[in-house]
Amino acid sequence: MTKVTAQLSVSVDGFYAGPRHTGDGDWMTSAESAGFFRVTRWVTDAMAWRERQGFAGGERDTNSDVVAESFEAAGAYVMGRRMADGGEVPWGEEPPFRAPVFVVTHRPRPRLERKGGTSFTYVTDGVASAVEQARAAAGGRDVAVAGGGSLVRQVLKAGLLDELELHVVPVVLGTGLRLLDADLDLAEKEAVELTPIRVIPTPQVTHIRYAVRGRAPLLLDDRGSGGGPTMVS
């Protein structure tokens, strides 16, 4: 059964990159880039990631197995336009996805065909449409929401996400682009409930996979007085 999944590397305080780069300078030298590469260092060190990129070397370890598993599970991807535009040149003519990619955007663009089975289809009628098209193209495998963080929040907010995997890196960035933010539009007494279904600790990163249970009201828990959870009005 096809699941809609998302995964991101984050710092302990919840940032997936440094402060957003808005200037005209080189993104690679920006604070956003510095934070991003710190929390994704475990990925770029992994042999499975390096092999997929056509690079030599890397570590064959638990983290590499996690990367390999994520590539194997994905039958199609959903991606934000900023990520797609930023990766177009570095990914080259044979991007690492080897599957259809559906790019959520407000700016139309013809479909891009790349080597190795990757294609980029630009979807202008919303995130739900992109997810539905990706489901149809996934061939029974998972739809992976590749990011960035804003797109992951949109999919979560829309109730379309089945699993969320956080790769928590033991570093505190202090500021930057936060994955889970106020734009989920939760009510004051409402939360998105998650159930941890897998935890893999390593020295570099802890991989935590959650099943997304969806929105639920927050309850007043007065079990200390002998009662139990009650609705908060």
Side-chain angles (χ1 to χ4, degrees):
M1 178 179 175
T2 296
K3 300 188 299 288
V4 180
T5 67
Q7 56 178 309
L8 275 177
S9 296
V10 295
S11 63
V12 169
D13 49 347
F15 298 103
Y16 63 92
R20 186 181 181 93
H21 177 61
T22 57
D24 296 329
D26 183 5
W27 181 84
M28 291 293 290
T29 62
S30 68
E32 180 181 341
S33 170
F36 172 78
F37 284 114
R38 174 60 189 91
V39 298
T40 58
R41 183 186 300 165
W42 70 273
V43 182
T44 55
D45 284 345
M47 181 177 291
W49 184 87
R50 297 186 68 81
E51 287 178 344
R52 195 81 170 202
Q53 306 290 327
F55 302 151
E59 299 293 330
R60 187 180 297 277
D61 55 12
T62 298
N63 294 329
S64 183
D65 292 342
V66 169
V67 172
E69 177 189 59
S70 67
F71 279 130
E72 179 61 30
Y77 293 83
V78 177
M79 184 181 297
R81 182 66 183 262
R82 186 170 185 250
M83 180 176 176
D85 286 353
E88 185 172 342
V89 172
W91 292 330
E93 288 299 311
E94 191 167 353
F97 306 103
R98 302 179 188 175
V101 179
F102 296 85
V103 181
V104 181
T105 182
H106 296 295
R107 293 172 285 136
R109 182 177 179 183
R111 175 186 172 102
L112 291 180
E113 295 287 350
R114 291 291 185 254
K115 297 177 182 177
T118 300
S119 62
F120 294 90
T121 299
Y122 294 81
V123 180
T124 58
D125 55 345
V127 65
S129 175
V131 169
E132 188 60 31
Q133 291 181 56
R135 279 186 183 275
R141 294 159 72 191
D142 292 346
V143 171
V145 181
S150 176
L151 180 65
V152 172
R153 289 196 300 275
Q154 290 180 54
V155 177
L156 182 61
K157 177 181 173 181
L160 299 172
L161 194 63
D162 298 309
E163 289 182 1
L164 173 65
E165 187 158 17
L166 300 182
H167 309 289
V168 183
V169 177
V171 65
V172 175
L173 294 183
T175 186
L177 298 178
R178 189 183 293 278
L179 173 57
L180 300 174
D181 217 332
D183 58 0
L184 289 172
D185 289 345
L186 293 169
E188 287 187 354
K189 297 176 181 178
E190 184 182 41
V192 176
E193 295 284 352
L194 310 173
T195 299
I197 56 177
R198 188 178 79 172
V199 179
I200 303 176
T202 76
Q204 300 82 19
V205 57
T206 300
H207 311 280
I208 310 175
R209 181 178 296 171
Y210 297 96
V212 180
R213 293 168 50 194
R215 294 174 181 244
L218 294 173
L219 304 178
L220 173 63
D221 191 341
D222 66 346
R223 282 176 287 191
S225 61
T230 59
M231 288 290 296
V232 180
S233 60

